[in-house]
Short mmCIF file of all heavy atoms in Angstrom, two decimals:
data_model
loop_
_atom_site.label_atom_id
_atom_site.label_comp_id
_atom_site.label_asym_id
_atom_site.label_seq_id
_atom_site.Cartn_x
_atom_site.Cartn_y
_atom_site.Cartn_z
N MET Z 1 134.61 61.54 412.29
CA MET Z 1 134.90 61.02 410.97
C MET Z 1 133.68 60.32 410.39
O MET Z 1 133.39 60.49 409.21
CB MET Z 1 136.09 60.06 411.07
CG MET Z 1 136.54 59.52 409.76
SD MET Z 1 137.23 60.84 408.77
CE MET Z 1 137.75 59.96 407.36
N ASP Z 2 132.97 59.55 411.21
CA ASP Z 2 131.77 58.87 410.72
C ASP Z 2 130.69 59.86 410.32
O ASP Z 2 129.93 59.62 409.39
CB ASP Z 2 131.23 57.92 411.79
CG ASP Z 2 132.13 56.71 411.99
OD1 ASP Z 2 132.87 56.37 411.03
OD2 ASP Z 2 132.11 56.11 413.09
N ALA Z 3 130.63 60.99 411.03
CA ALA Z 3 129.63 62.00 410.71
C ALA Z 3 129.89 62.60 409.33
O ALA Z 3 128.96 62.86 408.56
CB ALA Z 3 129.61 63.09 411.77
N ILE Z 4 131.15 62.80 408.99
CA ILE Z 4 131.50 63.37 407.69
C ILE Z 4 131.16 62.39 406.57
O ILE Z 4 130.59 62.78 405.55
CB ILE Z 4 133.00 63.75 407.65
CG1 ILE Z 4 133.27 64.89 408.63
CG2 ILE Z 4 133.42 64.15 406.24
CD1 ILE Z 4 134.73 65.23 408.80
N VAL Z 5 131.48 61.13 406.77
CA VAL Z 5 131.17 60.12 405.77
C VAL Z 5 129.66 59.99 405.60
O VAL Z 5 129.16 59.89 404.47
CB VAL Z 5 131.80 58.76 406.16
CG1 VAL Z 5 131.31 57.65 405.25
CG2 VAL Z 5 133.31 58.85 406.14
N SER Z 6 128.93 60.04 406.69
CA SER Z 6 127.47 59.97 406.63
C SER Z 6 126.89 61.18 405.91
O SER Z 6 125.97 61.05 405.10
CB SER Z 6 126.90 59.87 408.04
OG SER Z 6 125.50 59.88 408.00
N LEU Z 7 127.45 62.36 406.19
CA LEU Z 7 126.98 63.59 405.54
C LEU Z 7 127.21 63.54 404.03
O LEU Z 7 126.34 63.88 403.25
CB LEU Z 7 127.68 64.81 406.14
CG LEU Z 7 127.28 66.16 405.59
CD1 LEU Z 7 125.81 66.44 405.92
CD2 LEU Z 7 128.15 67.25 406.16
N ILE Z 8 128.40 63.08 403.64
CA ILE Z 8 128.69 62.97 402.20
C ILE Z 8 127.78 61.94 401.55
O ILE Z 8 127.28 62.14 400.44
CB ILE Z 8 130.18 62.61 401.99
CG1 ILE Z 8 131.05 63.79 402.38
CG2 ILE Z 8 130.44 62.22 400.54
CD1 ILE Z 8 132.53 63.48 402.39
N GLY Z 9 127.53 60.85 402.24
CA GLY Z 9 126.65 59.81 401.69
C GLY Z 9 125.22 60.28 401.55
O GLY Z 9 124.53 59.95 400.60
N ASN Z 10 124.76 61.07 402.51
CA ASN Z 10 123.37 61.53 402.48
C ASN Z 10 123.16 62.73 401.58
O ASN Z 10 122.09 62.87 400.98
CB ASN Z 10 122.90 61.88 403.90
CG ASN Z 10 122.75 60.65 404.77
OD1 ASN Z 10 122.52 59.56 404.27
ND2 ASN Z 10 122.89 60.84 406.06
N VAL Z 11 124.13 63.61 401.49
CA VAL Z 11 123.97 64.84 400.72
C VAL Z 11 124.64 64.73 399.35
O VAL Z 11 124.13 65.28 398.37
CB VAL Z 11 124.54 66.04 401.51
CG1 VAL Z 11 124.43 67.32 400.71
CG2 VAL Z 11 123.81 66.19 402.83
N GLY Z 12 125.73 64.04 399.26
CA GLY Z 12 126.49 63.97 398.01
C GLY Z 12 125.74 63.28 396.89
O GLY Z 12 125.77 63.72 395.75
N PHE Z 13 125.05 62.20 397.19
CA PHE Z 13 124.32 61.47 396.15
C PHE Z 13 123.20 62.32 395.54
O PHE Z 13 123.12 62.41 394.30
CB PHE Z 13 123.77 60.15 396.70
CG PHE Z 13 122.99 59.37 395.69
CD1 PHE Z 13 123.64 58.73 394.65
CD2 PHE Z 13 121.61 59.31 395.76
CE1 PHE Z 13 122.93 58.02 393.70
CE2 PHE Z 13 120.89 58.60 394.82
CZ PHE Z 13 121.55 57.96 393.78
N PRO Z 14 122.34 62.96 396.34
CA PRO Z 14 121.31 63.80 395.71
C PRO Z 14 121.89 64.95 394.89
O PRO Z 14 121.34 65.31 393.85
CB PRO Z 14 120.51 64.34 396.89
CG PRO Z 14 120.73 63.35 397.98
CD PRO Z 14 122.11 62.84 397.77
N ILE Z 15 123.00 65.51 395.33
CA ILE Z 15 123.64 66.58 394.57
C ILE Z 15 124.14 66.05 393.23
O ILE Z 15 123.95 66.67 392.19
CB ILE Z 15 124.78 67.23 395.37
CG1 ILE Z 15 124.20 68.05 396.53
CG2 ILE Z 15 125.65 68.12 394.49
CD1 ILE Z 15 125.24 68.58 397.49
N ALA Z 16 124.77 64.89 393.25
CA ALA Z 16 125.28 64.29 392.01
C ALA Z 16 124.14 63.97 391.04
O ALA Z 16 124.25 64.23 389.84
CB ALA Z 16 126.07 63.03 392.34
N VAL Z 17 123.06 63.44 391.55
CA VAL Z 17 121.91 63.13 390.69
C VAL Z 17 121.31 64.41 390.12
O VAL Z 17 120.96 64.47 388.93
CB VAL Z 17 120.85 62.32 391.47
CG1 VAL Z 17 119.56 62.19 390.68
CG2 VAL Z 17 121.39 60.94 391.81
N SER Z 18 121.21 65.45 390.92
CA SER Z 18 120.66 66.72 390.45
C SER Z 18 121.51 67.32 389.35
O SER Z 18 121.00 67.79 388.33
CB SER Z 18 120.56 67.71 391.61
OG SER Z 18 119.69 67.23 392.59
N ILE Z 19 122.83 67.29 389.52
CA ILE Z 19 123.73 67.82 388.49
C ILE Z 19 123.61 67.01 387.21
O ILE Z 19 123.54 67.57 386.11
CB ILE Z 19 125.18 67.85 389.01
CG1 ILE Z 19 125.31 68.91 390.10
CG2 ILE Z 19 126.16 68.10 387.89
CD1 ILE Z 19 126.62 68.88 390.84
N TYR Z 20 123.54 65.70 387.33
CA TYR Z 20 123.40 64.84 386.16
C TYR Z 20 122.12 65.16 385.40
O TYR Z 20 122.13 65.30 384.17
CB TYR Z 20 123.42 63.37 386.59
CG TYR Z 20 123.10 62.41 385.49
CD1 TYR Z 20 124.03 62.12 384.51
CD2 TYR Z 20 121.86 61.79 385.43
CE1 TYR Z 20 123.74 61.23 383.48
CE2 TYR Z 20 121.56 60.90 384.41
CZ TYR Z 20 122.50 60.63 383.44
OH TYR Z 20 122.20 59.76 382.43
N LEU Z 21 121.02 65.29 386.12
CA LEU Z 21 119.74 65.58 385.46
C LEU Z 21 119.73 66.96 384.83
O LEU Z 21 119.18 67.14 383.73
CB LEU Z 21 118.59 65.44 386.47
CG LEU Z 21 118.31 64.02 386.94
CD1 LEU Z 21 117.24 64.03 388.02
CD2 LEU Z 21 117.90 63.13 385.79
N LEU Z 22 120.33 67.95 385.48
CA LEU Z 22 120.39 69.29 384.90
C LEU Z 22 121.19 69.31 383.61
O LEU Z 22 120.82 69.98 382.65
CB LEU Z 22 120.98 70.28 385.91
CG LEU Z 22 120.07 70.69 387.05
CD1 LEU Z 22 120.86 71.53 388.06
CD2 LEU Z 22 118.87 71.46 386.55
N VAL Z 23 122.28 68.57 383.56
CA VAL Z 23 123.10 68.52 382.35
C VAL Z 23 122.32 67.85 381.22
O VAL Z 23 122.35 68.31 380.07
CB VAL Z 23 124.43 67.78 382.63
CG1 VAL Z 23 125.16 67.46 381.34
CG2 VAL Z 23 125.30 68.61 383.55
N ARG Z 24 121.61 66.78 381.52
CA ARG Z 24 120.84 66.10 380.48
C ARG Z 24 119.68 66.96 379.98
O ARG Z 24 119.41 67.01 378.79
CB ARG Z 24 120.29 64.78 381.01
CG ARG Z 24 121.34 63.71 381.12
CD ARG Z 24 120.74 62.37 381.40
NE ARG Z 24 119.57 62.09 380.60
CZ ARG Z 24 119.54 61.24 379.58
NH1 ARG Z 24 120.62 60.60 379.25
NH2 ARG Z 24 118.42 61.02 378.92
N ILE Z 25 119.00 67.64 380.88
CA ILE Z 25 117.85 68.45 380.49
C ILE Z 25 118.29 69.67 379.70
O ILE Z 25 117.56 70.14 378.81
CB ILE Z 25 117.02 68.84 381.73
CG1 ILE Z 25 116.33 67.60 382.29
CG2 ILE Z 25 116.01 69.92 381.42
CD1 ILE Z 25 115.60 67.83 383.60
N GLU Z 26 119.49 70.20 379.98
CA GLU Z 26 119.97 71.39 379.28
C GLU Z 26 120.04 71.16 377.78
O GLU Z 26 119.60 72.00 376.99
CB GLU Z 26 121.34 71.79 379.82
CG GLU Z 26 121.89 73.03 379.14
CD GLU Z 26 123.30 73.36 379.62
OE1 GLU Z 26 123.87 72.57 380.40
OE2 GLU Z 26 123.81 74.40 379.18
N GLY Z 27 120.55 70.03 377.37
CA GLY Z 27 120.64 69.72 375.93
C GLY Z 27 119.28 69.60 375.30
O GLY Z 27 119.05 70.06 374.17
N LYS Z 28 118.35 69.00 376.00
CA LYS Z 28 117.00 68.85 375.45
C LYS Z 28 116.31 70.20 375.36
O LYS Z 28 115.55 70.46 374.42
CB LYS Z 28 116.20 67.89 376.31
CG LYS Z 28 116.73 66.47 376.21
CD LYS Z 28 115.93 65.50 377.03
CE LYS Z 28 116.54 64.12 376.90
NZ LYS Z 28 115.78 63.08 377.53
N LEU Z 29 116.55 71.09 376.33
CA LEU Z 29 115.96 72.42 376.27
C LEU Z 29 116.51 73.23 375.10
O LEU Z 29 115.77 73.98 374.46
CB LEU Z 29 116.19 73.17 377.58
CG LEU Z 29 115.34 72.74 378.76
CD1 LEU Z 29 115.75 73.49 380.02
CD2 LEU Z 29 113.87 72.96 378.48
N GLU Z 30 117.80 73.07 374.81
CA GLU Z 30 118.37 73.76 373.65
C GLU Z 30 117.74 73.28 372.36
O GLU Z 30 117.43 74.08 371.47
CB GLU Z 30 119.88 73.56 373.62
CG GLU Z 30 120.61 74.32 374.71
CD GLU Z 30 122.10 74.01 374.75
OE1 GLU Z 30 122.56 73.20 373.91
OE2 GLU Z 30 122.77 74.57 375.62
N ASN Z 31 117.53 71.97 372.23
CA ASN Z 31 116.87 71.43 371.04
C ASN Z 31 115.43 71.91 370.94
O ASN Z 31 114.96 72.24 369.84
CB ASN Z 31 116.89 69.90 371.07
CG ASN Z 31 118.27 69.34 370.84
OD1 ASN Z 31 119.14 70.01 370.30
ND2 ASN Z 31 118.48 68.10 371.24
N LEU Z 32 114.74 71.97 372.05
CA LEU Z 32 113.36 72.45 372.06
C LEU Z 32 113.28 73.91 371.66
O LEU Z 32 112.41 74.31 370.87
CB LEU Z 32 112.74 72.22 373.44
CG LEU Z 32 111.28 72.61 373.61
CD1 LEU Z 32 110.40 71.80 372.65
CD2 LEU Z 32 110.85 72.38 375.04
N THR Z 33 114.19 74.72 372.17
CA THR Z 33 114.23 76.14 371.82
C THR Z 33 114.48 76.32 370.32
O THR Z 33 113.83 77.14 369.66
CB THR Z 33 115.32 76.86 372.63
OG1 THR Z 33 115.04 76.69 374.01
CG2 THR Z 33 115.38 78.34 372.30
N SER Z 34 115.40 75.56 369.78
CA SER Z 34 115.69 75.63 368.35
C SER Z 34 114.48 75.23 367.52
O SER Z 34 114.15 75.88 366.52
CB SER Z 34 116.88 74.73 368.02
OG SER Z 34 117.10 74.68 366.65
N SER Z 35 113.78 74.18 367.93
CA SER Z 35 112.60 73.73 367.21
C SER Z 35 111.49 74.77 367.26
O SER Z 35 110.80 75.01 366.26
CB SER Z 35 112.08 72.42 367.81
OG SER Z 35 113.03 71.40 367.65
N ILE Z 36 111.32 75.42 368.39
CA ILE Z 36 110.29 76.46 368.51
C ILE Z 36 110.64 77.64 367.62
O ILE Z 36 109.75 78.21 366.95
CB ILE Z 36 110.12 76.89 369.98
CG1 ILE Z 36 109.47 75.76 370.77
CG2 ILE Z 36 109.31 78.16 370.10
CD1 ILE Z 36 109.44 75.97 372.26
N ASN Z 37 111.91 78.02 367.57
CA ASN Z 37 112.32 79.13 366.70
C ASN Z 37 112.10 78.77 365.23
O ASN Z 37 111.64 79.62 364.45
CB ASN Z 37 113.78 79.49 366.95
CG ASN Z 37 113.97 80.18 368.27
OD1 ASN Z 37 113.06 80.80 368.80
ND2 ASN Z 37 115.17 80.07 368.82
N ASN Z 38 112.41 77.55 364.84
CA ASN Z 38 112.17 77.12 363.46
C ASN Z 38 110.68 77.12 363.13
O ASN Z 38 110.27 77.55 362.05
CB ASN Z 38 112.76 75.73 363.22
CG ASN Z 38 114.26 75.73 363.20
OD1 ASN Z 38 114.88 76.76 362.96
ND2 ASN Z 38 114.85 74.57 363.45
N LEU Z 39 109.87 76.64 364.04
CA LEU Z 39 108.43 76.63 363.84
C LEU Z 39 107.89 78.04 363.69
O LEU Z 39 107.05 78.30 362.83
CB LEU Z 39 107.75 75.92 365.01
CG LEU Z 39 106.23 75.82 364.95
CD1 LEU Z 39 105.79 75.03 363.73
CD2 LEU Z 39 105.71 75.17 366.22
N SER Z 40 108.41 78.94 364.52
CA SER Z 40 107.96 80.34 364.43
C SER Z 40 108.29 80.95 363.07
O SER Z 40 107.46 81.64 362.47
CB SER Z 40 108.63 81.15 365.54
OG SER Z 40 108.29 82.50 365.43
N SER Z 41 109.48 80.68 362.56
CA SER Z 41 109.84 81.24 361.25
C SER Z 41 109.02 80.61 360.14
O SER Z 41 108.64 81.30 359.18
CB SER Z 41 111.33 81.07 361.00
OG SER Z 41 111.66 79.71 360.90
N VAL Z 42 108.70 79.34 360.23
CA VAL Z 42 107.86 78.68 359.21
C VAL Z 42 106.45 79.27 359.24
O VAL Z 42 105.86 79.55 358.19
CB VAL Z 42 107.83 77.16 359.43
CG1 VAL Z 42 106.75 76.51 358.59
CG2 VAL Z 42 109.18 76.56 359.12
N ILE Z 43 105.92 79.48 360.41
CA ILE Z 43 104.57 80.06 360.53
C ILE Z 43 104.57 81.47 359.96
O ILE Z 43 103.61 81.89 359.28
CB ILE Z 43 104.11 80.04 362.00
CG1 ILE Z 43 103.81 78.61 362.42
CG2 ILE Z 43 102.88 80.92 362.19
CD1 ILE Z 43 103.51 78.44 363.90
N ASN Z 44 105.63 82.25 360.22
CA ASN Z 44 105.70 83.62 359.68
C ASN Z 44 105.77 83.61 358.15
O ASN Z 44 105.17 84.48 357.52
CB ASN Z 44 106.92 84.35 360.26
CG ASN Z 44 106.68 84.78 361.68
OD1 ASN Z 44 105.55 84.97 362.11
ND2 ASN Z 44 107.77 84.92 362.43
N THR Z 45 106.46 82.65 357.56
CA THR Z 45 106.53 82.61 356.10
C THR Z 45 105.21 82.17 355.50
O THR Z 45 104.85 82.60 354.40
CB THR Z 45 107.66 81.69 355.62
OG1 THR Z 45 107.46 80.38 356.14
CG2 THR Z 45 109.02 82.21 356.06
N ILE Z 46 104.46 81.33 356.18
CA ILE Z 46 103.16 80.88 355.69
C ILE Z 46 102.15 82.02 355.73
O ILE Z 46 101.34 82.18 354.82
CB ILE Z 46 102.66 79.67 356.48
CG1 ILE Z 46 103.50 78.44 356.18
CG2 ILE Z 46 101.19 79.39 356.19
CD1 ILE Z 46 103.19 77.23 357.04
N ASN Z 47 102.20 82.85 356.76
CA ASN Z 47 101.24 83.93 356.93
C ASN Z 47 101.49 85.09 355.99
O ASN Z 47 100.62 85.94 355.82
CB ASN Z 47 101.26 84.44 358.38
CG ASN Z 47 100.58 83.47 359.32
OD1 ASN Z 47 99.74 82.68 358.92
ND2 ASN Z 47 100.95 83.53 360.59
N LYS Z 48 102.64 85.18 355.33
CA LYS Z 48 102.93 86.31 354.44
C LYS Z 48 102.33 86.14 353.10
O LYS Z 48 101.86 85.31 352.55
CB LYS Z 48 104.43 86.50 354.32
CG LYS Z 48 105.01 87.04 355.60
CD LYS Z 48 106.49 87.28 355.43
CE LYS Z 48 107.06 87.82 356.74
NZ LYS Z 48 108.44 88.13 356.65
#
């Protein structure tokens, strides 16, 4: 029983932190992708 609790304590926390960071970064990547697409369209209109 102690081994299971120790395993969850040692492995569960890093997994939880990783999931939290991935969720936060996903939103920022979507905003960055949108900004890059907008910049690309602005540059294309300037070059025409």
Side-chain angles (χ1 to χ4, degrees):
M1 184 67 177
D2 290 335
I4 294 173
V5 171
S6 176
L7 181 65
I8 291 172
N10 290 334
V11 178
F13 179 72
I15 289 172
V17 170
S18 298
I19 291 171
Y20 172 76
L21 291 175
L22 285 173
V23 168
R24 285 190 44 107
I25 290 174
E26 180 184 5
K28 292 181 181 186
L29 284 176
E30 289 175 0
N31 289 340
L32 183 60
T33 302
S34 174
S35 296
I36 290 171
N37 288 335
N38 289 338
L39 180 62
S40 176
S41 65
V42 168
I43 289 172
N44 284 335
T45 58
I46 290 173
N47 286 336
K48 289 182 180 182

